Amino acid sequence: MLINKDTQVCISLAKNAGNFGCTIHNAGFRCLDLNFIYKSFSVDNLEEAILGMRAFKIRGAGITMPYKIEVLDYVDAVSEEAYLIGSANTVVNNDGILTAYNTDSFSSYETLRKYSAHKRVFILGKGGFSKAVQFSANKLFDEVIVITRDGWQEISDIRDSLIFNCTPVERINVHKTNDFIDCLISTESGRRLSLLQASRQFELYTNTKFPIKYIEKNFNSLMAKNQ
């Protein structure tokens, strides 16, 4: 992939940067021969990072924990869905106008609708990602219950339900009668959620359909190369 003066740059902004976005987006760019490059950054000051995005005319940015709510303070426009949710995980730069979007709502809806036989869902956490999951869950379930750290002990009493972890807590023990969705990238469900939301981000950045079949076919080898 040739990098030149016309290469469009996309980034992610996180407290602790990871490799997932770099792997998935750059693989998509190469597959479609797009003149784009993606790089993740660890940042401590989101406002300054967004100013840098403006100054360097960065095309797009993925926003991860803990900045999904704060980012709304630094953009020029907010999509209807991100406004209703109250958080965003994507910023797109269109000729200097920064617009916030929420692609977590897409990934969570596509995941949750496979469990629509349940009447209720328990959502663990109340942060930016949880807000997107709640937004999606309210379209599909009769009852949506949010559990925060103060009520963590309630998890062990849940039976015959759907539980969706939206926190960084690992190895949560749930009763075997429940279905469990985990947002952590180290889990199968977390990787799928990340791939789905990245596919929508990719399309916002490039105005091009994400090559999801290619990415899924080569997923393991792509991730192995970027460990």
Side-chain angles (χ1 to χ4, degrees):
M1 182 170 60
L2 178 66
I3 298 174
N4 57 30
K5 66 180 181 62
D6 297 318
T7 301
Q8 295 196 65
V9 180
C10 296
I11 62 175
S12 64
L13 301 173
K15 191 71 174 177
N16 297 297
N19 280 327
F20 187 90
C22 294
T23 302
I24 296 305
H25 287 290
N26 285 320
F29 300 153
R30 289 193 300 270
C31 176
L32 300 178
D33 196 26
L34 298 176
N35 195 7
F36 278 75
I37 189 169
Y38 190 100
K39 169 74 170 67
S40 58
F41 291 92
S42 297
V43 299
D44 294 318
N45 189 311
L46 181 64
E47 183 177 13
E48 291 181 354
I50 295 296
L51 287 172
M53 183 180 179
R54 293 182 186 277
F56 289 105
K57 299 181 180 179
I58 302 296
R59 168 59 180 162
I63 310 297
T64 62
M65 293 187 291
Y67 299 128
K68 294 184 178 184
I69 298 173
E70 182 186 353
V71 72
L72 297 178
D73 294 333
Y74 309 128
V75 297
D76 304 306
V78 180
S79 69
E80 181 180 6
E81 198 164 62
Y83 174 78
L84 292 172
I85 293 169
S87 73
N89 72 324
T90 306
V91 176
V92 177
N93 186 347
N94 287 306
D95 298 322
I97 304 299
L98 303 188
T99 302
Y101 297 88
N102 195 307
T103 68
D104 286 329
S105 60
F106 169 72
S107 64
S108 58
Y109 182 84
E110 288 300 303
T111 300
L112 284 168
R113 69 187 183 91
K114 297 176 182 179
Y115 298 91
S116 58
H118 287 283
K119 298 299 182 184
R120 64 179 179 175
V121 56
F122 291 86
I123 297 173
L124 311 184
K126 61 177 183 178
F129 182 65
S130 172
K131 289 178 180 295
V133 175
Q134 292 173 52
F135 180 79
S136 299
N138 280 316
K139 297 178 181 180
L140 295 165
F141 300 95
D142 294 334
E143 191 174 4
V144 177
I145 303 166
V146 178
I147 297 178
T148 63
R149 298 295 181 92
D150 293 339
W152 216 245
Q153 70 281 355
E154 299 172 24
I155 298 172
S156 60
D157 296 327
I158 300 172
R159 298 290 187 276
D160 300 309
S161 297
L162 175 62
I163 302 174
F164 198 133
N165 177 35
C166 298
T167 77
V169 179
E170 299 179 347
R171 294 182 291 276
I172 297 174
N173 292 319
V174 303
H175 194 268
K176 63 183 180 181
T177 60
N178 298 303
D179 285 318
F180 184 59
I181 302 170
D182 201 333
C183 75
L184 296 181
I185 195 70
S186 58
T187 67
E188 183 177 349
S189 58
R191 288 191 293 271
R192 182 63 182 169
L193 284 162
S194 295
L195 183 60
L196 286 170
Q197 71 82 20
S199 72
R200 185 56 61 89
Q201 284 181 326
F202 186 96
E203 292 168 8
L204 288 168
Y205 299 152
T206 66
N207 295 312
T208 305
K209 191 72 175 176
F210 182 67
I212 192 164
K213 290 184 179 179
Y214 167 81
I215 299 297
E216 288 178 331
K217 179 180 178 180
N218 297 282
F219 183 83
N220 291 333
S221 61
L222 288 169
M223 296 305 297
K225 290 177 182 177
N226 243 356
Q227 292 299 320

